[in-house]
Amino acid sequence: MAFNTATTRSLNVRAGPGTSFRVVTVLPARTSVWVDRCTNGWQWCEISARRSGRGWVDARFLHPSVRGRVPIVNDRRRPGGPPSPGPWPQRPVGQPTGPTPGT
């Protein structure tokens, strides 16, 4: 379930989700990209672009915002691995969210 968006400025595409990962390419402003998944809190997103391939970008420089529109990756150490489970469901459907009454 990829989400189409665009870069708001010239943007480094990195090998992983963070500034400690090497820059693999630079995208010009207003480049159309597909967002596949983001880190917890939507800080970094894995994208693909037609001519630039795949990589990770700072989500602050994507418009429209991807917040709430793509799956979350919770483990920053596995940027190239299979997707981690998304935020849904956090608990089985129909289960109470608080303490059990009478306990």
Side-chain angles (χ1 to χ4, degrees), residues 17 37-46 56 71-74 76:
R37 57 189 177 153
C38 297
T39 59
N40 193 21
W42 290 281
Q43 294 174 332
W44 290 87
C45 294
E46 185 178 29
W56 291 81
I72 297 295
V73 175
N74 292 318
R76 290 184 63 184

Side-chain angles (χ1 to χ4, degrees), residues 26-81:
V26 178
L27 295 176
R30 297 179 299 280
T31 300
S32 178
V33 297
W34 288 96
V35 178
D36 297 312
R37 57 189 177 153
C38 297
T39 59
N40 193 21
W42 290 281
Q43 294 174 332
W44 290 87
C45 294
E46 185 178 29
I47 59 101
S48 57
R50 267 181 226 255
R51 297 180 189 150
S52 304
R54 302 184 67 79
W56 291 81
V57 298
D58 187 324
R60 294 177 297 173
F61 305 111
L62 298 175
H63 184 77
S65 173
V66 296
R67 184 173 293 275
R69 298 180 177 171
V70 295
I72 297 295
V73 175
N74 292 318
D75 188 351
R76 290 184 63 184
R77 295 169 298 177
R78 294 176 28 187

